Amino acid sequence: AAKNRIPIASPLASQSSLINSNPYYFQVNPSRDYLAAETADMVAEEYYNSNFIILKTQDYSNTPEGKIVTLLQEKFVNAGLMSERNGVNFTIYDFKAEGPFGLRRIMSKSKENVVYIPSSDEGSLSIAISNVNNLASEYSITLIGANRFPNYQSIQLDHYYNLKLKYIAPYWTDYSAPATIRFIQRFKDNFGTEPDNFGMQGYDVTSYF
């Protein structure tokens, strides 16, 4: 296909080496590295005057989650915000080694406590988030996560609400938009059911190309 300049549209995959070698390959779903960079940009722009806590549950080097930590450190340092009175307090807390008992020591009453856990392991995340949630009644806390978080069955949804979970997602549906309302009604008329995410994505991708 590359040799004959035939376009390939990949609607579902988020990782492929073809994106770097084939100019006719279109990857609709953004990669985890791209989402990591966007997450770092969002955090740096919105939480530059915060008490930022990296909750380390395991070695996160050479992972997309660890990339966010590196990008944030670079952004805060380059902007001259690191450890400034009106800037960001940046703490890496070794949760695996120190446990939950030292968390209160690094929390702030005057700044928003922004917690990021560089892990994709559901078990580790569940334990860490549960312990951070125990402090939500005493401190204002924002949890930075990933779009996979709502799929983790072992993490209670009320923890996400208490910790004001925020994440970058590649897909989002505005159900109040007239175009969305029209699409859903036409879909129901044709198929007798509500469209799921794949129904919407299929329509969007096909329309785009």
Side-chain angles (χ1 to χ4, degrees):
K3 180 180 178 181
N4 293 290
R5 301 182 180 183
I6 300 171
I8 298 175
S10 176
L12 299 177
S14 61
Q15 299 292 125
S16 175
S17 59
L18 288 175
I19 200 167
N20 298 316
S21 60
N22 185 350
Y24 302 98
Y25 175 77
F26 296 87
Q27 180 176 298
V28 176
N29 201 1
S31 68
R32 290 177 67 186
D33 283 342
Y34 178 82
L35 290 176
E38 289 297 303
T39 299
D41 284 344
M42 179 266 291
V43 171
E45 289 175 11
E46 297 187 20
Y47 300 106
Y48 54 85
N49 183 24
S50 68
N51 182 41
F52 199 89
I53 299 168
I54 302 295
L55 211 62
K56 181 182 177 182
T57 59
Q58 60 196 69
D59 180 27
Y60 52 76
S61 56
N62 300 317
T63 66
E65 293 79 20
K67 182 179 179 180
I68 293 178
V69 178
T70 303
L71 288 171
L72 281 172
Q73 286 176 308
E74 291 174 355
K75 288 177 183 295
F76 288 141
V77 168
N78 292 340
L81 295 169
M82 194 74 87
S83 298
E84 292 294 321
R85 184 174 183 180
N86 295 320
V88 64
N89 299 328
F90 196 97
T91 304
I92 297 179
Y93 180 82
D94 194 333
F95 184 80
K96 185 176 182 180
E98 299 186 52
F101 305 107
L103 284 174
R104 206 174 252 101
R105 170 176 50 82
I106 58 174
M107 289 286 170
S108 173
K109 289 282 189 181
S110 59
K111 289 188 174 187
E112 182 68 17
N113 297 281
V114 182
V115 176
Y116 176 63
I117 309 168
S119 173
S120 59
D121 178 72
E122 182 176 350
S124 300
L125 286 168
S126 179
I127 294 170
I129 290 172
S130 178
N131 279 279
V132 174
N133 180 69
N134 292 336
L135 303 175
S137 61
E138 299 177 50
Y139 304 93
S140 181
I141 304 173
T142 296
L143 174 66
I144 303 298
N147 62 304
R148 300 181 302 281
F149 273 34
N151 298 326
Y152 293 144
Q153 299 298 313
S154 63
I155 303 176
Q156 297 181 41
L157 288 178
D158 63 332
H159 290 180
Y160 292 150
Y161 291 112
N162 296 338
L163 298 174
K164 297 172 289 190
L165 172 65
K166 196 166 190 178
Y167 58 86
I168 296 286
Y171 306 108
W172 179 75
T173 303
D174 182 0
Y175 286 97
S176 65
T180 306
I181 295 171
R182 286 195 302 271
F183 167 74
I184 292 174
Q185 187 57 53
R186 289 173 59 195
F187 194 97
K188 288 164 67 175
D189 291 344
N190 279 278
F191 304 111
T193 185
E194 294 267 348
D196 60 9
N197 288 340
F198 289 118
M200 293 190 178
Q201 188 177 342
Y203 178 85
D204 284 346
V205 172
T206 304
S207 298
Y208 178 83
F209 284 99

